[in-house]
Amino acid sequence: QVQLVESGGGLVQAGGSLTLSCVGSGFTSSTGVMKWYRQAPGREREWVAVISAVSAGANTLYSDFVKGRFTISRDDARNTVYLQMKNLEPEDTAVYYCGTVRNTISYWGQGTQVTVSS
């Protein structure tokens, strides 16, 4: 059974940093695209960053509102994907989710709360 577990969220002041982790199980992480999304109160879930499989070059893409501040990476030996967040802004406050698609089925973790105070 595919499972994703996020961690690393918390309360941080504006300008601060956090690194989120997402540990996967029940699948071979090295073969798939991994993504981070976030959802703020009253808003729809939005895409943050994506990283392709290592075999495809571990290419990364970022949404415009995090480009230059966030970095996605993966450690397939640990079945883990990371989201390093710097220069955090109050607008980054949200629940952050990692996700993947396996055999056409989308999987999500339970999310981790990030709160940025001004």
Side-chain angles (χ1 to χ4, degrees):
Q1 182 178 358
V2 174
Q3 287 190 326
L4 299 169
V5 179
E6 302 96 335
S7 63
L11 174 63
V12 63
Q13 290 187 331
S17 301
L18 282 174
T19 297
L20 307 182
S21 300
C22 172
V23 179
S25 61
F27 63 95
T28 303
S29 66
S30 62
T31 60
V33 171
M34 300 295 296
K35 302 178 182 180
W36 283 98
Y37 282 73
R38 70 185 186 186
Q39 187 167 18
R43 301 186 63 176
E44 293 186 353
R45 189 172 298 188
E46 58 187 5
W47 165 74
V48 174
V50 61
I51 186 166
S52 68
V54 171
S55 60
N59 295 312
T60 59
L61 285 173
Y62 301 92
S63 61
D64 287 343
F65 47 78
V66 304
K67 195 175 296 183
R69 300 188 297 124
F70 290 11
T71 302
I72 187 172
S73 62
R74 63 192 299 159
D75 183 346
D76 291 331
R78 291 179 170 82
N79 265 22
T80 301
V81 61
Y82 302 97
L83 186 67
Q84 184 180 19
M85 307 183 293
K86 298 180 178 180
N87 297 323
L88 284 161
E89 304 167 353
E91 293 74 21
D92 295 317
T93 295
V95 178
Y96 284 71
Y97 301 89
C98 68
T100 191
V101 177
R102 305 287 158 156
N103 296 322
T104 74
I105 300 173
S106 294
Y107 296 94
W108 301 97
Q110 83 291 345
T112 185
Q113 175 70 47
V114 172
T115 303
V116 184
S117 62
S118 57

